[in-house]
């Protein structure tokens, strides 16, 4: 996420928003992306990640980018919200059984 400039009290925030629902949690989440190559690379290094593992993502920003963002709708959480199902495992649209989770 892209960090905003600190406010008058020095607090740091990011350009992001979530739509939350009772008993379900985050239904929609959105944020602006970090488009500045040097800032993104510095954040990767600061967080102890290997820059080589993120080469493909850095390549998208290497020659410049524009401020942009995106959002995602949590489909399973939306189904929970509309149907009243209490456990997210019960609305996942693919079979779950022992020995099938390869990842």
């Amino acid at each position: 996420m892209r960090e905003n400039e600190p406010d008058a009290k020095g607090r740091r925030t990011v350009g992001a928003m979530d739509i939350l629902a009772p008993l379900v949690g985050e239904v929609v989440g959105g944020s602006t992306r970090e488009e500045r190559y040097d800032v993104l690379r510095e954040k990767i290094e600061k967080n102890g990640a290997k820059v080589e593992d993120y080469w493909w993502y850095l390549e998208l920003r290497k020659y410049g980018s524009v401020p942009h963002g995106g959002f995602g709708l949590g489909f399973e959480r939306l189904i929970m919200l509309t149907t009243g199902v209490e456990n997210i495992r019960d609305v996942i649209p693919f079979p779950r059984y022992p020995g099938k989770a390869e990842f």
Side-chain angles (χ1 to χ4, degrees):
M1 290 181 224
R2 190 180 207 284
E3 285 188 25
N4 297 324
E5 293 298 320
D7 66 11
K9 294 183 180 180
R11 295 177 294 202
R12 302 194 65 85
T13 59
V14 294
M17 68 86 191
D18 291 328
I19 297 176
L20 306 175
L23 305 176
V24 176
E26 179 186 318
V27 178
V28 178
S31 66
T32 54
R33 310 297 191 245
E34 180 56 72
E35 82 280 0
R36 299 167 294 181
Y37 178 86
D38 54 336
V39 173
L40 186 57
R41 185 181 175 104
E42 183 180 311
K43 284 183 179 185
I44 291 170
E45 292 170 347
K46 179 181 170 185
N47 287 301
K50 295 179 184 176
V51 174
E52 304 84 49
D53 292 342
Y54 294 92
W55 70 267
W56 59 273
Y57 194 75
L58 286 166
E59 193 73 17
L60 296 171
R61 309 294 190 269
K62 195 172 200 174
Y63 301 105
S65 184
V66 296
H68 61 285
F71 74 95
L73 169 66
F75 183 71
E76 289 86 2
R77 292 177 188 265
L78 179 63
I79 298 298
M80 288 174 63
L81 180 64
T82 57
T83 63
V85 173
E86 295 180 6
N87 195 316
I88 198 165
R89 292 178 295 189
D90 296 330
V91 296
I92 296 194
F94 53 86
R96 295 171 25 112
Y97 51 90
K100 182 61 178 156
E102 296 175 14
F103 298 103

